[in-house]
Amino acid sequence: KPLFQPNKDDTEEPEELPPITTTGENTFGCLVNGEVWLPAGPDRYNRGFDEGTGQFAFGASRERPDESIGETLGLTGKVDITSKLVTAYSCAFVSTSNDHFYSYAMDTTAANELVFLRVDIENNIASGTFEFTAVNEFPPYDTVHVTQGRFDFNY
């Protein structure tokens, strides 16, 4: 079965992405190659924000016990707190299991986008949307397309 493809035999309805919100709902989701990707597991969120410098590290993880796969998606960079303009960022996707390790780094030649919709240091809220293309750093050098991404963290 190809990596990151929906299970064609699954009769369950696909999960939906959380709505785009800006109220600190602690949500994160996206499509990975068209498949809904939502965090799952006890330590599913990673959120760090330095209000003094605008440095951020947001991400999420999920475990897929049915396939013994762990996945992590991360966004790191710097945002101007006043204007909400992202001055530098990178995105990554990692998938691991007992028999494989895939590390996808953002393709800087692709049309990637990370937009902060809200940066509220009084209420500790950071919200935004993202899309990026990432390339596997190891064989088989395939590509992952992350679209319709959204996060709304109370950090």
Side-chain angles (χ1 to χ4, degrees), residues 49-56 58 77-87 116-127 155:
F49 191 79
D50 184 324
E51 296 171 349
T53 65
Q55 296 278 52
F56 63 88
F58 297 134
K78 187 172 182 177
V79 63
D80 180 282
I81 292 171
T82 305
S83 68
K84 298 185 292 248
L85 291 176
V86 178
T87 56
F116 274 79
L117 302 173
R118 181 175 182 189
V119 179
D120 183 339
I121 60 173
E122 288 186 25
N123 294 300
N124 299 328
I125 296 172
S127 308
Y155 62 89

Side-chain angles (χ1 to χ4, degrees), residues 67-84:
E67 300 174 28
S68 300
I69 295 175
E71 299 170 335
T72 302
L73 197 150
L75 314 167
T76 59
K78 187 172 182 177
V79 63
D80 180 282
I81 292 171
T82 305
S83 68
K84 298 185 292 248

Side-chain angles (χ1 to χ4, degrees), residues 17-18 26-30 32 37-48 57-63 69-76 91-96 130 132 146 149-153:
L17 292 174
N26 290 322
T27 57
F28 188 101
C30 60
V32 175
W37 192 95
L38 299 171
D43 296 318
R44 63 181 169 259
Y45 296 115
N46 171 30
R47 26 185 203 264
F58 297 134
S61 299
R62 76 175 186 178
E63 294 179 16
I69 295 175
E71 299 170 335
T72 302
L73 197 150
L75 314 167
T76 59
C91 306
F93 184 83
V94 175
S95 176
T96 59
F130 59 93
F132 67 94
V146 176
R150 67 275 320 264
F151 63 91
D152 183 19
F153 286 135

